[in-house]
Amino acid sequence: MNDISYTTEEIASILKVSKLTVYDLIKKGELAAYRVGRQMRIDAKDLEAYKAKTKKGAYASPQAAPAPPAFSPVSQTPSVPAGQARSIVISGQDISLDILAKHMEKPQTTYRLLRSYMGSLNGLISMYRGEADIVSTHLWDGDSGEYNIPYIQKILVGHRYLVVNLLSRWVGFYVEKGNPKHIEQWTDINKPGIRFVNREKGAGARVLLDEQLRLHQLLPGTIHGYEREETNHLGVAGAIASGEADVGLGIEKAAYIVGIDFVPLIKERYDLVVLKSESNQPLCDLLLSTLRSSSFQHKLNAIGGYDLSLTGKIVYETP
């Protein structure tokens, strides 16, 4: 048993709960976990210890745990025993978030950074439910032409929060080398014979697409391949590279990785949201200082493909 460990997905399957419930147990210190690269692992002995405690009534079982109240800010964190690191969940998929977590988790801090790889909308809903501490978001609103703020204001009703820029990046079409189908603008994906590959519901790219379809008065049902979904940018780009589809939507970097062409459409602002409270102030301060540090920005610059001109700038803040 000492040699066996599980991923969060495997733990969720074993306990018959959602993956978010597993993250919540880890965050509350009820289930011991550690990080290996980008993945969280739970040892079998720690899982058995948790199950033994629930049987004795030390913890409420996940199945019987009451749903969080409508307004359940992450800032209302249970007290953490002295000397024990507070687990912080950072939600989002970009590699910059893994770098951010590594820079924030320093020996002198009292935080243990965990990663959740969900899309922007689901991340904000997770924060509303008290299941995430720092959420990345890149959601374009077609009515205002603005990124993120309209969605954050609607979802985090009743919460106080800080929105700070992480980076900006180009979003556009993935197409075959040489762009043989001449796909240049939004209406081109509606041409006869064009095969599209989509992102999952809740992803920022999916929201951008649906908003553009609405504004251009295009029905999703007329887009061949609209129902085909991939859960990340590389999955979409890979479908183009393999010839399974003609066009998809995503960030520039993935096109270069798989060796296809990229048609830039819009420069998106990729922001971070963190809740404001007296207990969360040290976390806000650490986040801002990390984003503004030369070491963090140097690391992102080395990767390439990011615009850091707004990195660390507060773009919105509630009173």
Side-chain angles (χ1 to χ4, degrees):
M1 184 173 292
N2 290 335
D3 297 327
I4 300 174
S5 66
Y6 302 104
T7 65
T8 51
E9 290 85 355
E10 290 170 333
I11 293 293
S13 177
I14 292 170
L15 296 178
K16 294 181 173 57
V17 297
S18 71
K19 187 176 169 183
L20 286 177
T21 298
V22 177
Y23 276 119
D24 191 47
L25 292 173
I26 294 171
K27 178 182 169 184
K28 293 176 179 177
E30 297 175 10
L31 185 60
Y34 56 94
R35 188 170 60 200
V36 178
R38 297 176 60 180
Q39 193 177 68
M40 292 302 303
R41 307 287 303 188
I42 296 94
D43 287 338
K45 61 182 179 61
D46 292 321
L47 173 61
E48 292 305 314
Y50 166 77
K51 290 164 68 175
K53 289 177 181 176
T54 59
K55 289 177 182 178
K56 293 177 181 178
Y59 299 127
S61 67
Q63 295 92 333
F71 300 108
S72 178
V74 176
S75 56
Q76 295 177 356
T77 308
S79 58
V80 178
Q84 182 175 322
R86 171 187 164 190
S87 294
I88 299 296
V89 176
I90 300 181
S91 171
Q93 298 180 343
D94 196 88
I95 191 174
S96 60
L97 297 167
D98 298 311
I99 297 171
L100 176 66
K102 184 176 180 180
H103 276 71
M104 289 180 66
E105 193 174 53
K106 300 174 181 178
Q108 64 270 29
T109 66
T110 58
Y111 301 114
R112 179 178 57 170
L113 279 298
L114 308 176
R115 291 282 285 110
S116 172
Y117 298 92
M118 64 176 63
S120 298
L121 267 179
N122 290 334
L124 287 174
I125 293 170
S126 168
M127 174 169 274
Y128 179 87
R129 292 173 174 168
E131 298 167 342
D133 301 271
I134 299 173
V135 169
S136 64
T137 176
H138 53 110
L139 298 167
W140 187 73
D141 176 56
D143 293 325
S144 65
E146 186 177 2
Y147 263 97
N148 301 324
I149 307 303
Y151 293 90
I152 297 169
Q153 289 176 329
K154 291 174 183 176
I155 294 175
L156 296 183
V157 176
H159 290 65
R160 297 173 61 239
Y161 49 84
L162 181 72
V163 184
V164 57
N165 180 252
L166 174 60
L167 51 88
S168 298
R169 59 188 186 182
W170 281 101
V171 176
F173 288 142
Y174 299 137
V175 295
E176 296 178 63
K177 277 287 188 180
N179 195 6
K181 300 293 179 70
H182 306 290
I183 301 169
E184 303 286 348
Q185 55 191 351
W186 294 103
T187 52
D188 289 340
I189 64 175
N190 198 39
K191 290 179 180 178
I194 297 297
R195 298 167 300 162
F196 188 76
V197 56
N198 213 344
R199 283 294 304 278
E200 79 280 9
K201 297 177 182 67
R206 177 66 169 263
V207 171
L208 174 61
L209 172 72
D210 288 343
E211 284 291 86
Q212 291 291 347
L213 293 182
R214 178 175 67 86
L215 293 176
H216 288 88
Q217 298 183 328
L218 297 174
L219 296 176
T222 65
I223 310 299
H224 178 54
Y226 178 87
E227 298 299 330
R228 175 180 174 175
E229 298 180 354
E230 296 288 341
T231 57
N232 53 55
H233 296 296
L234 283 175
V236 175
I240 310 303
S242 66
E244 298 173 29
D246 302 305
V247 60
L249 186 67
I251 61 173
E252 186 176 15
K253 189 182 302 295
Y256 297 144
I257 291 174
V258 303
I260 57 177
D261 280 358
F262 180 78
V263 180
L265 294 170
I266 187 170
K267 199 169 193 177
E268 69 175 11
R269 202 182 71 223
Y270 196 36
D271 295 332
L272 300 175
V273 187
V274 59
L275 296 182
K276 288 173 54 178
S277 69
E278 185 176 344
S279 62
N280 241 23
Q281 190 58 50
L283 177 61
C284 293
D285 293 340
L286 176 61
L287 176 62
L288 289 173
S289 63
T290 303
L291 291 172
R292 295 167 181 173
S293 68
S294 58
S295 60
F296 173 71
Q297 294 194 19
H298 176 75
K299 195 73 172 180
L300 291 192
N301 271 322
I303 296 175
Y306 295 138
D307 178 354
L308 307 184
S309 58
L310 296 177
T311 300
K313 178 181 179 181
I314 296 174
V315 295
Y316 187 85
E317 184 176 6
T318 59

